[in-house]
Amino acid sequence: QMQLVESGGGMVQAGGSLRLSCVGSGRTFDRYSLGWFRQAPGKEREFVASISDLGRRIAYGSSVKGRFTMWRDNAKNTGYLEMNALKFEDTAVYYCAADERNRPANTAGGYTYWGQGTQVTVSS
């Protein structure tokens, strides 16, 4: 079993930045691909970014490409999401997800383990 804990959410003005962290458990963190998803009230869960187990493949959703950056530090069992040029539309609960596979999926159904989520609120 993989346990995931997100942190770093909060309130920020439009145009600002936040960095989210996702800490995983165990000694096999580098066997898991990671994903970031977000869900706003009344909307479906949306793909944000993903990274393969060793960080060789990274993908972003079209709505965040060019503004968000994902990376991981397997020595620290941590995945990161740097969010820049934040917009009001980025307001959502952000979830970290993991699956024991080499190549990450870009849909929520492709992940087995999920964190509890962290709220990001962008004011206009």
Side-chain angles (χ1 to χ4, degrees):
Q1 294 293 114
M2 171 63 71
Q3 305 292 322
L4 301 170
V5 180
E6 305 98 331
S7 62
M11 299 186 69
V12 63
Q13 291 185 330
S17 299
L18 283 175
R19 179 181 293 179
L20 306 183
S21 298
C22 172
V23 179
S25 63
R27 296 180 173 89
T28 59
F29 187 75
D30 61 356
R31 298 181 186 176
Y32 291 81
S33 292
L34 301 176
W36 285 100
F37 293 80
R38 66 187 183 184
Q39 189 163 23
K43 297 184 179 180
E44 295 184 351
R45 193 161 296 191
E46 178 187 13
F47 170 72
V48 175
S50 65
I51 191 167
S52 59
D53 53 0
L54 300 180
R56 296 170 180 169
R57 301 175 181 88
I58 306 172
Y60 299 96
S62 60
S63 63
V64 306
K65 188 176 295 184
R67 298 188 297 122
F68 292 10
T69 302
M70 184 178 187
W71 74 97
R72 66 192 296 165
D73 186 343
N74 287 339
K76 298 180 179 179
N77 271 27
T78 303
Y80 300 92
L81 182 70
E82 181 77 26
M83 305 183 293
N84 299 312
L86 282 162
K87 306 173 181 178
F88 175 77
E89 306 94 274
D90 296 318
T91 297
V93 177
Y94 283 71
Y95 296 91
C96 179
D99 199 81
E100 193 170 6
R101 63 175 69 204
N102 177 258
R103 301 187 69 177
N106 62 357
T107 59
Y111 294 88
T112 303
Y113 304 100
W114 293 83
Q116 83 288 347
T118 184
Q119 177 72 47
V120 172
T121 303
V122 183
S123 61
S124 60

